[in-house]
Amino acid sequence: MNFNVKYTDGYGCYVVTTEDGRAALADTRTGQVDWAETDERFLRFGPFCEVEHAPDQQTLNELDALLEGRVKPVEVDAAQIMQLLRHEFGDTLEEGE
């Protein structure tokens, strides 16, 4: 997909525009993508700054995969998080800690 990276929050979220004029907010950390008619929708909600230099090739590849729908968002619930924590730290964790 042809796109231009216009804005970033500096932490893995990018606002891009496509050749057909649509805008997307793509989060490379979570795999979530949100589409809009213009980028103004996204710029109201976050501390984005203009991208002065194109991101590295790996980031561009990740963004392309997100925009094309080849990456699915990561969804983790509280039970899965507790299971991971218990695996890492043992059974000493109690609910609410």
Side-chain angles (χ1 to χ4, degrees):
M1 172 178 284
N2 290 328
F3 61 90
N4 291 315
V5 180
K6 297 188 70 174
Y7 302 95
T8 183
D9 69 352
Y11 298 102
C13 284
Y14 297 89
V15 176
V16 303
T17 55
T18 61
E19 62 187 348
D20 65 359
R22 294 185 306 154
L25 174 64
D27 188 334
T28 59
R29 297 165 299 180
T30 64
Q32 295 180 317
V33 177
D34 191 17
W35 291 93
E37 293 299 316
T38 67
D39 59 11
E40 291 177 17
R41 174 178 169 213
F42 306 122
L43 300 178
R44 288 183 279 164
F45 299 111
F48 291 98
C49 60
E50 283 190 62
V51 172
E52 294 181 19
H53 305 286
D56 60 50
Q57 190 60 47
Q58 179 178 346
T59 301
L60 291 173
N61 291 343
E62 289 176 18
L63 289 170
D64 186 54
L66 289 172
L67 298 174
E68 290 285 341
R70 296 188 311 263
V71 175
K72 300 299 176 201
V74 175
E75 295 182 19
V76 180
D77 63 23
Q80 290 170 315
I81 292 171
M82 285 305 295
Q83 181 180 9
L84 291 170
L85 289 171
R86 283 193 178 104
H87 179 296
E88 186 67 28
F89 298 107
D91 290 330
T92 60
L93 292 177
E94 294 183 23
E95 295 291 329
E97 284 190 38

